[in-house]
Amino acid sequence: DIQMTQSPSTLSASVGDRVTITCRASQSISHWLAWYQHKAGKAPTLLVYEASYLEGGVPSRFSGSGSGTEFTLTITSLQPDDFATYYCQHYNRHSWTFGQGTKVEIK
Amino acid sequence: QVQLVESGGGVIQPGRSLRLSCAASGFTFSSHVMQWVRQAPGKGLEWVTVISSDGSKKEYVDSVKGRFTISRDNSKNTVYLQMNSLRAEDTAVYYCARVDILIGFTDYWGQGTQVTVSP
């Protein structure tokens, strides 16, 4: 089974900071990766799919990159609404595997 | 707009059964693969099960195989999760989610329903 590993687990940052979250796959997954934002008590929301395609309505300060085994989610200028937990997900139509999550906290 | 509304959660004793429902609206339900994802307290998201658009194919995470059953009723735009032989480790918020038709990622989620397995 493919394992997804995110780093860091927790990230402390200030409004306006550039933030980068990394997701590594235990074997190549091509570009079959999505990123989600999750706030406590709410439904997760899709940010990026196919590693680098921004979902409609998602602010342009979010971007995704990578292929194969290493992927990144970047927030270019952190906003107050961005403090949340972020998950990567590998999908292959038979199973969906999440990273363990990265909590972005206020510094 | 796409809406997924879960129901049926609650507090249940170990070994008992519970059925979750997810009512869908705002899209052609019968065209989409649907899934359940859960989040245990203090933990991350865990994919649980998926069902094909016509209900003929189902997949499960190993930890629930033989205990949980996913099903759907396309005439009612509803997907179900029958959970039997519940264990303390099944305690979680359960999310119903839609799978994108073309590519296969999860594109919409419900708000979730809490399941607590406790004596």
Side-chain angles (χ1 to χ4, degrees):
Chain A
D1 292 354
I2 295 174
Q3 308 299 320
M4 306 300 296
T5 304
Q6 283 182 239
S7 60
S9 297
T10 306
L11 189 160
S12 296
S14 301
V15 173
D17 284 353
R18 179 186 180 92
V19 165
T20 299
I21 299 168
T22 299
C23 179
R24 289 187 173 88
S26 58
Q27 64 189 73
S28 178
I29 59 170
S30 184
H31 55 280
W32 305 118
L33 187 101
W35 289 97
Y36 301 89
Q37 181 190 69
H38 190 200
K39 297 181 180 179
K42 297 197 172 183
T45 57
L46 174 68
L47 299 173
V48 170
Y49 61 93
E50 282 196 280
S52 61
Y53 289 88
L54 204 64
E55 172 71 346
V58 174
S60 59
R61 62 181 179 272
F62 291 92
S63 65
S65 64
S67 66
T69 61
E70 187 152 337
F71 303 85
T72 58
L73 175 71
T74 300
I75 310 172
T76 52
S77 177
L78 199 66
Q79 298 301 301
D81 191 48
D82 301 338
F83 292 97
T85 301
Y86 294 84
Y87 293 91
C88 63
Q89 178 206 55
H90 164 55
Y91 50 91
N92 69 4
R93 293 195 174 276
H94 297 285
S95 67
W96 289 255
T97 307
F98 294 92
Q100 78 275 23
T102 295
K103 185 175 184 179
V104 177
E105 298 181 326
I106 300 174
K107 193 171 185 179
Chain B
Q1 70 281 20
V2 174
Q3 280 200 311
L4 299 169
V5 179
E6 303 93 338
S7 61
V11 180
I12 190 84
Q13 292 177 326
R16 302 292 293 267
S17 300
L18 202 62
R19 188 177 85 155
L20 306 183
S21 300
C22 170
S25 61
F27 64 99
T28 304
F29 180 73
S30 59
S31 296
H32 281 266
V33 171
M34 299 294 295
Q35 59 189 195
W36 289 92
V37 176
R38 67 185 178 183
Q39 184 177 32
K43 304 289 186 183
L45 300 172
E46 178 187 36
W47 171 78
V48 177
T49 180
V50 65
I51 187 168
S52 60
S53 57
D54 65 358
S56 62
K57 297 177 185 175
K58 306 171 187 181
E59 305 270 2
Y60 300 90
V61 68
D62 286 348
S63 59
V64 309
K65 282 180 182 175
R67 301 189 299 122
F68 289 14
T69 302
I70 190 172
S71 61
R72 65 190 296 160
D73 185 337
N74 285 347
S75 68
K76 295 182 178 178
N77 288 355
T78 301
V79 61
Y80 304 98
L81 182 64
Q82 178 68 42
M83 304 185 293
N84 298 333
S85 302
L86 281 161
R87 305 168 180 168
E89 55 264 36
D90 296 319
T91 294
V93 175
Y94 284 75
Y95 296 96
C96 168
R98 191 185 85 165
V99 175
D100 168 80
I101 285 180
L102 294 178
I103 301 170
F105 54 86
T106 309
D107 60 359
Y108 286 95
W109 305 65
Q111 297 277 359
T113 187
Q114 175 73 49
V115 173
T116 302
V117 184
S118 177

